[in-house]
Amino acid sequence: GKSTVAYKIAALVSSGGKLPFSDETFPQGDVVIISGEDDPLSDIRPRLDVMGADVKHIFIIDLRIKLKDGTLGKTAFNLSKVAELRNIMEQKPNTKLIIIDPVSGFVNGKIDSNNPTEVYSLMAPLNQLSIEKQVTILLNTHTNKSRGTTFRAKVTQAHAWTDAARAAFLVSKKDNSPN
């Protein structure tokens, strides 16, 4: 799924791995994964192990909250709290990559994620942090499952997410693929 590519990039950064499509090698660095869906022990760690991650350089922050009835609730963290990301960067100064998965789980209720102006205002501090700390921030999101739509329409929520990002990629299966 959508997290597989993000975790492969995390594995390459954590191990100083070589890109599969070029001769370039990632400089080894720490990776912070902020997860709102996947379980760190049963989902994230096994995937990272299979992908060759150097897990000494991977730090997973599980922001799922278990409620009294056993269900998982929403987290208190959201993207407007850039100061919290700065604190993480101070604790892990060799961080080269932060993965936020899924980004839609970290948008507070005050932000209309269908409004480009509001998305830009949310992304601007993240962009500034990325520049200041020389860190890549990978925002992972769900896609619209309908066929025949454009790349921008595939991104759940607003076009503003793809427009506000420095780069946006869509990874999908081939239509004729059995997998």
Side-chain angles (χ1 to χ4, degrees):
K2 65 179 176 45
S3 301
T4 301
V5 173
Y7 297 155
K8 181 60 180 178
I9 294 169
L12 291 169
V13 171
S14 71
S15 64
K18 186 176 176 184
L19 291 168
F21 48 81
S22 81
D23 290 332
E24 288 186 66
T25 301
F26 279 102
Q28 186 177 33
D30 293 336
V31 177
V32 175
I33 299 172
I34 302 172
S35 176
E37 287 183 349
D38 293 335
D39 182 86
L41 295 177
S42 65
D43 295 325
I44 299 172
R45 174 66 190 263
R47 290 183 196 172
L48 291 168
D49 287 340
V50 167
M51 294 175 184
D54 182 343
V55 294
K56 294 185 304 277
H57 294 282
I58 304 267
F59 306 93
I60 303 169
I61 300 170
D62 183 5
L63 292 178
R64 299 168 308 145
I65 298 171
K66 195 166 226 173
L67 302 176
K68 288 181 184 177
D69 66 1
T71 61
L72 293 175
K74 294 200 177 212
T75 177
F77 177 86
N78 66 64
L79 291 180
S80 65
K81 296 182 179 180
V82 174
E84 291 180 33
L85 287 176
R86 282 187 193 286
N87 288 339
I88 292 168
M89 296 290 300
E90 287 173 17
Q91 294 171 27
K92 306 291 179 199
N94 194 37
T95 299
K96 305 291 182 209
L97 174 65
I98 297 174
I99 297 172
I100 301 174
D101 185 16
V103 67
S104 58
F106 301 108
V107 177
N108 70 30
K110 296 175 185 173
I111 300 287
D112 178 359
S113 56
N114 290 306
N115 181 320
T117 303
E118 292 187 28
V119 171
Y120 284 122
S121 70
L122 183 67
M123 296 283 285
L126 286 175
N127 183 47
Q128 188 62 38
L129 176 68
S130 175
I131 292 166
E132 285 174 23
K133 300 294 186 180
Q134 295 293 290
V135 63
T136 298
I137 302 174
L138 190 156
L139 305 177
N140 216 355
T141 189
H142 296 281
T143 58
N144 175 330
K145 306 291 188 235
S146 63
R147 295 182 177 265
T149 59
T150 65
F151 166 77
R152 288 175 66 216
K154 283 275 188 199
V155 176
T156 303
Q157 314 263 319
H159 294 200
W161 287 105
T162 55
D163 294 345
R166 181 168 180 185
F169 301 93
L170 176 67
V171 178
S172 67
K173 295 179 202 173
K174 287 184 172 179
D175 286 338
N176 61 357
S177 172
N179 296 322

